[in-house]
Amino acid sequence: MTNPDDWADAQETESVSVDGNELEMAYYDEGEGDPVVLLHGIPTWSFLWRDVADALSDERRVIVPDMVGYGNSSMRDEFDRSIRAQEQAVADLLDGLGLDTVSFVGHDLGGGVGLRYAVHRPDAVDRLVLSNAVAYDAWPVEPIVNLGLPSTAKEKSVGDVQELLDGMFRESLASDDPSDEFVEGMKAPWNSEEGVVSLVRNAAATNTNHTTEIDPSEVTADTLLLWGADDEFQPISSAERLDGDIESSRVVGIDGANHWVVEDSPDRYTEELRQFLLAEEAE
């Protein structure tokens, strides 16, 4: 599914609670079998996973949420968008869907959510995949810090933010000629005044304390650290540190892939992911 409008049309919504705030969480839900959750980061949305979701849905039930404040989930002000809050929202979504146990795949900020979820709910995670994930104190990175300044929402127009995001995505993809489908699709949720304010709030909510308070050695799920090896934002050394702390884990670095590893190397990424998830069924 290559069109963000078609992806949005295929999404469902569920009410979730974050600190007593009732919010709408949009999610894509396709396929049958053991459930796997795919969670995006910042400044992306569930459309990031379009090709991976399609490839996995023949064998698994694939659930792809938009974090609150992102994509087609609630964007209004007056709620927390931090990793802690996103963990709470995802947990409420999965509880509402009646899913006791899932495999959890997280990229970037979504990886930080997955790490917290796996530590706090060890019996609820079969397998954990972290890809170029935020962890420890290696974030937030400078472009996100700048994006979260209150002056960004007050002084920059929608067009300014679209131009900023265009450069951010194009410069951090491995290809010299990146896909317009990806870049335009990732920018789509932020192409309004409401979207700009929500994106700034999301960036401002990045909080190092929400990863430094987590001890990765408490992860009990088999873990794959599936990483774009050329990432400058979340370098592979972070994956290697996680590998040293998580008892049952291994690192797979994908050469030639930058931070957006899902887009930079979709075939290799999907195949490594499939093999890891299906190995569970062979045991």
Coordinates of all heavy atoms in Angstrom, one line a residue, residues 1 7 28-36 38 49-64 270 273-274 277-278:
M1 N 0.9 -1.2 0.0 CA 0.0 0.0 0.0 C 0.9 1.2 0.0 O 1.6 1.5 1.0 CB -0.9 0.0 1.2 CG -2.0 1.0 1.2 SD -3.1 0.9 2.7 CE -3.6 -0.8 2.6
W7 N -3.7 4.1 3.1 CA -3.3 3.5 4.5 C -4.2 4.0 5.5 O -4.7 3.3 6.4 CB -1.8 3.9 4.8 CG -1.4 3.4 6.1 CD1 -1.4 4.0 7.3 CD2 -0.8 2.1 6.4 NE1 -0.8 3.3 8.3 CE2 -0.5 2.1 7.8 CE3 -0.5 1.0 5.6 CZ2 0.1 1.0 8.4 CZ3 0.1 -0.1 6.2 CH2 0.4 -0.1 7.6
Y28 N -3.5 0.1 12.3 CA -3.7 -0.8 11.2 C -3.7 -2.2 11.7 O -2.9 -2.5 12.5 CB -2.6 -0.6 10.1 CG -2.7 -1.4 8.9 CD1 -3.4 -1.1 7.8 CD2 -1.9 -2.6 8.9 CE1 -3.4 -1.9 6.7 CE2 -1.9 -3.4 7.7 CZ -2.7 -3.1 6.6 OH -2.7 -3.8 5.5
D29 N -4.7 -3.0 11.3 CA -4.8 -4.4 11.9 C -5.1 -5.3 10.7 O -6.2 -5.2 10.1 CB -5.9 -4.3 12.9 CG -6.0 -5.6 13.7 OD1 -5.4 -6.6 13.3 OD2 -6.8 -5.6 14.7
E30 N -4.2 -6.2 10.4 CA -4.4 -7.0 9.2 C -3.7 -8.4 9.5 O -2.7 -8.5 10.2 CB -3.7 -6.4 8.0 CG -4.0 -7.1 6.7 CD -5.5 -7.0 6.3 OE1 -6.1 -5.9 6.5 OE2 -6.0 -8.0 5.7
G31 N -4.3 -9.5 8.9 CA -3.8 -10.8 9.0 C -4.3 -11.6 10.2 O -5.0 -11.1 11.0
E32 N -3.9 -12.8 10.3 CA -4.3 -13.7 11.3 C -3.1 -14.5 11.9 O -2.0 -14.5 11.2 CB -5.3 -14.8 10.8 CG -6.6 -14.1 10.3 CD -7.6 -15.2 9.8 OE1 -7.2 -16.4 9.8 OE2 -8.7 -14.8 9.5
G33 N -3.2 -15.0 13.1 CA -2.1 -15.7 13.7 C -1.6 -15.0 14.9 O -2.2 -14.0 15.4
D34 N -0.4 -15.3 15.4 CA 0.2 -14.7 16.5 C 0.4 -13.2 16.3 O 1.0 -12.9 15.2 CB 1.5 -15.4 16.9 CG 1.4 -16.8 17.4 OD1 0.2 -17.1 17.8 OD2 2.3 -17.6 17.3
P35 N 0.0 -12.3 17.2 CA 0.1 -10.9 16.9 C 1.5 -10.3 17.0 O 2.3 -10.7 17.9 CB -0.8 -10.3 18.0 CG -0.7 -11.3 19.1 CD -0.6 -12.7 18.5
V36 N 1.8 -9.4 16.1 CA 3.1 -8.6 16.2 C 2.7 -7.2 16.1 O 1.9 -6.8 15.2 CB 4.1 -9.1 15.1 CG1 3.4 -9.0 13.7 CG2 5.3 -8.2 15.2
L38 N 4.0 -3.3 15.4 CA 5.1 -2.5 14.8 C 4.9 -1.1 15.2 O 3.8 -0.5 15.0 CB 5.0 -2.6 13.3 CG 4.9 -4.0 12.7 CD1 4.8 -3.9 11.2 CD2 6.2 -4.8 13.0
W49 N 5.7 1.5 8.2 CA 5.7 0.0 8.2 C 4.9 -0.6 7.1 O 4.7 -1.8 7.1 CB 5.2 -0.5 9.5 CG 6.0 -0.1 10.7 CD1 5.7 0.9 11.6 CD2 7.2 -0.6 11.2 NE1 6.6 1.0 12.6 CE2 7.6 0.1 12.4 CE3 8.1 -1.6 10.7 CZ2 8.8 -0.2 13.0 CZ3 9.3 -1.9 11.4 CH2 9.6 -1.2 12.5
R50 N 4.5 0.2 6.1 CA 3.5 -0.3 5.1 C 4.0 -1.6 4.4 O 3.2 -2.5 4.3 CB 3.2 0.8 4.1 CG 4.5 1.2 3.3 CD 4.4 2.6 2.7 NE 5.5 3.0 1.9 CZ 6.7 3.4 2.4 NH1 6.8 3.5 3.7 NH2 7.7 3.7 1.6
D51 N 5.3 -1.6 4.0 CA 5.8 -2.8 3.2 C 6.0 -4.0 4.2 O 5.7 -5.1 3.8 CB 7.1 -2.4 2.5 CG 6.8 -1.4 1.4 OD1 5.7 -1.4 0.8 OD2 7.8 -0.6 1.1
V52 N 6.5 -3.7 5.4 CA 6.8 -4.8 6.3 C 5.4 -5.4 6.8 O 5.3 -6.6 6.9 CB 7.5 -4.2 7.5 CG1 7.7 -5.3 8.6 CG2 8.9 -3.7 7.1
A53 N 4.4 -4.5 7.0 CA 3.1 -5.0 7.5 C 2.5 -5.9 6.4 O 2.0 -7.0 6.7 CB 2.2 -3.9 7.8
D54 N 2.6 -5.6 5.2 CA 2.1 -6.4 4.1 C 2.8 -7.7 4.0 O 2.1 -8.7 3.8 CB 2.2 -5.6 2.8 CG 1.6 -6.3 1.6 OD1 0.4 -6.6 1.7 OD2 2.3 -6.6 0.6
A55 N 4.1 -7.7 4.2 CA 4.9 -8.9 4.1 C 4.6 -9.9 5.2 O 4.6 -11.1 5.0 CB 6.4 -8.6 4.0
L56 N 4.3 -9.4 6.4 CA 4.1 -10.2 7.6 C 2.7 -10.7 7.7 O 2.4 -11.7 8.4 CB 4.5 -9.4 8.9 CG 6.0 -9.1 9.1 CD1 6.1 -8.3 10.4 CD2 6.8 -10.3 9.1
S57 N 1.7 -10.0 7.1 CA 0.3 -10.3 7.4 C -0.1 -11.6 6.8 O -1.2 -12.1 7.1 CB -0.6 -9.2 6.8 OG -0.4 -9.0 5.4
D58 N 0.7 -12.2 5.9 CA 0.3 -13.6 5.4 C 0.5 -14.6 6.5 O -0.1 -15.7 6.5 CB 1.2 -14.0 4.2 CG 0.8 -13.2 3.0 OD1 -0.3 -12.7 2.9 OD2 1.7 -13.1 2.1
E59 N 1.3 -14.3 7.5 CA 1.7 -15.3 8.6 C 1.3 -14.8 10.0 O 1.2 -15.7 10.9 CB 3.2 -15.5 8.5 CG 3.7 -16.1 7.2 CD 5.1 -15.7 6.9 OE1 5.6 -14.6 7.3 OE2 5.8 -16.5 6.2
R60 N 1.1 -13.6 10.2 CA 0.8 -13.0 11.5 C -0.3 -12.0 11.5 O -0.6 -11.5 10.4 CB 2.1 -12.3 12.0 CG 3.3 -13.2 12.4 CD 3.0 -14.1 13.6 NE 4.1 -14.9 14.0 CZ 4.8 -14.5 15.1 NH1 4.6 -13.4 15.8 NH2 5.9 -15.3 15.4
R61 N -0.9 -11.8 12.6 CA -1.8 -10.6 12.8 C -0.9 -9.4 13.1 O -0.1 -9.4 14.1 CB -2.8 -10.9 14.0 CG -3.7 -9.7 14.2 CD -4.7 -9.9 15.3 NE -5.5 -8.7 15.5 CZ -6.4 -8.6 16.5 NH1 -6.5 -9.6 17.4 NH2 -7.1 -7.5 16.6
V62 N -0.9 -8.5 12.2 CA 0.0 -7.3 12.3 C -0.8 -6.1 12.8 O -1.8 -5.7 12.1 CB 0.6 -7.1 10.9 CG1 1.6 -5.9 11.0 CG2 1.3 -8.3 10.4
I63 N -0.4 -5.5 13.9 CA -1.0 -4.3 14.4 C 0.0 -3.2 14.4 O 1.1 -3.3 15.0 CB -1.5 -4.6 15.9 CG1 -2.5 -5.8 15.9 CG2 -2.1 -3.4 16.5 CD1 -2.6 -6.5 17.2
V64 N -0.4 -2.1 13.7 CA 0.5 -1.0 13.5 C -0.1 0.3 14.0 O -0.9 1.0 13.3 CB 0.9 -0.9 12.0 CG1 2.2 0.0 11.9 CG2 1.1 -2.2 11.4
T270 N 13.0 -6.9 6.2 CA 11.9 -7.7 6.3 C 12.2 -9.2 6.5 O 11.6 -10.0 7.3 CB 10.9 -7.5 5.1 OG1 10.6 -6.2 5.1 CG2 9.7 -8.4 5.3
L273 N 13.6 -9.9 9.9 CA 12.5 -9.9 10.9 C 11.7 -11.1 10.8 O 11.3 -11.7 11.8 CB 11.7 -8.6 10.6 CG 10.5 -8.4 11.5 CD1 10.9 -8.3 13.0 CD2 9.7 -7.1 11.1
R274 N 11.3 -11.5 9.6 CA 10.5 -12.7 9.4 C 11.2 -14.0 10.0 O 10.6 -14.8 10.7 CB 10.2 -13.0 7.9 CG 9.2 -12.1 7.3 CD 8.9 -12.5 5.9 NE 8.2 -13.8 5.9 CZ 8.8 -15.0 5.5 NH1 10.1 -15.0 5.2 NH2 8.1 -16.1 5.5
L277 N 11.0 -13.8 13.8 CA 9.7 -14.1 14.4 C 9.2 -15.5 14.1 O 8.6 -16.1 15.0 CB 8.7 -13.1 13.7 CG 8.9 -11.6 14.1 CD1 7.9 -10.8 13.3 CD2 8.8 -11.4 15.6
L278 N 9.5 -16.1 13.0 CA 9.1 -17.4 12.7 C 9.9 -18.5 13.4 O 9.5 -19.6 13.6 CB 9.2 -17.6 11.1 CG 8.2 -16.8 10.3 CD1 8.4 -17.1 8.8 CD2 6.7 -17.1 10.7

